[in-house]
Amino acid sequence: MSVYFYGCVTLDGYLADKNHGLAWLHETGSAEDVGYEDFYRRMSVTLMGRRTFREIEAMGDPAAVYPTTRNYVFTHQAAPLPSGFTPVSGDVADFVKTFSPKENLWVIGGNTLLAPLLDQGLVDHLILQLAPVLLGSGIPLFTQREHLHRFRLDKTIQYGPFAELHYAKP
């Protein structure tokens, strides 16, 4: 199993503005401008929190966004999710450990899921797209416990205004 984080952040490391908004991202470019389709084809499973799911839901039909993966939403809410999305709760690291070694898992969205996975050394790949935007404050990507985590830079790609950095565990 390989666990991936793939997402876009501002130059100063924020996933969203302080109100969890993504206008800064939508105004900068689109998924067609980057290598999203190639990345998505390699994934078996998506993992996201409820806030991230709400952002996806606001764009339209969530099942159309992630049609070929098994999709899990970590939530404490009892509200049902649309077809193609399974609600889960509990420890994300324990959940991740239940998957087959042959599967690729994509952690979508924020640090609520990413931080515990980093803390337990379960993130194998970080693919970060840097947008040419400075927010000054907002929701940071990295909030794991203070501990040294090393990654190896494997590749850099420029997609229009975005720099995509591919990191892997050494």
Side-chain angles (χ1 to χ4, degrees):
M1 159 193 67
S2 286
V3 176
Y4 289 79
F5 174 83
Y6 174 92
C8 190
V9 296
T10 63
L11 288 173
D12 48 355
Y14 295 107
L15 283 168
D17 66 27
K18 61 186 174 185
N19 298 315
H20 297 274
L22 296 175
W24 64 269
L25 176 59
H26 300 301
E27 294 165 359
T28 306
S30 68
E32 294 84 38
D33 297 336
V34 296
Y36 171 79
E37 294 299 328
D38 290 334
F39 171 79
Y40 181 71
R41 274 193 282 280
R42 297 188 323 243
M43 295 301 112
S44 316
V45 172
T46 69
L47 307 172
M48 66 191 80
R50 187 66 180 215
R51 242 187 227 124
T52 299
F53 176 77
R54 274 189 255 144
E55 284 292 324
I56 294 163
E57 196 172 36
M59 295 187 313
D61 178 14
V65 178
Y66 302 111
T68 62
T69 47
R70 293 187 326 277
N71 306 296
Y72 298 93
V73 179
F74 280 79
T75 182
H76 300 290
Q77 297 178 6
L81 296 172
S83 177
F85 291 83
T86 304
V88 292
S89 61
D91 184 88
V92 65
D94 290 341
F95 185 71
V96 162
K97 292 174 188 175
T98 67
F99 287 93
S100 161
K102 296 178 183 176
E103 296 190 272
N104 288 328
L105 284 68
W106 175 18
V107 178
I108 302 173
N111 54 33
T112 304
L113 299 182
L114 185 59
L117 295 173
L118 283 167
D119 287 340
Q120 293 200 28
L122 294 174
V123 177
D124 301 297
H125 303 273
L126 295 169
I127 301 174
L128 303 174
Q129 293 163 352
L130 297 177
V133 174
L134 294 169
L135 286 178
S137 68
I139 310 303
L141 173 58
F142 297 111
T143 61
Q144 72 283 353
R145 286 182 290 197
E146 189 173 330
H147 177 76
L148 180 64
H149 299 275
R150 292 202 186 272
F151 286 86
R152 171 190 75 240
L153 178 62
D154 285 342
K155 176 168 60 169
T156 60
I157 304 169
Q158 181 176 352
Y159 292 109
F162 298 97
E164 186 171 273
L165 308 172
H166 292 241
Y167 291 97
K169 276 205 270 191

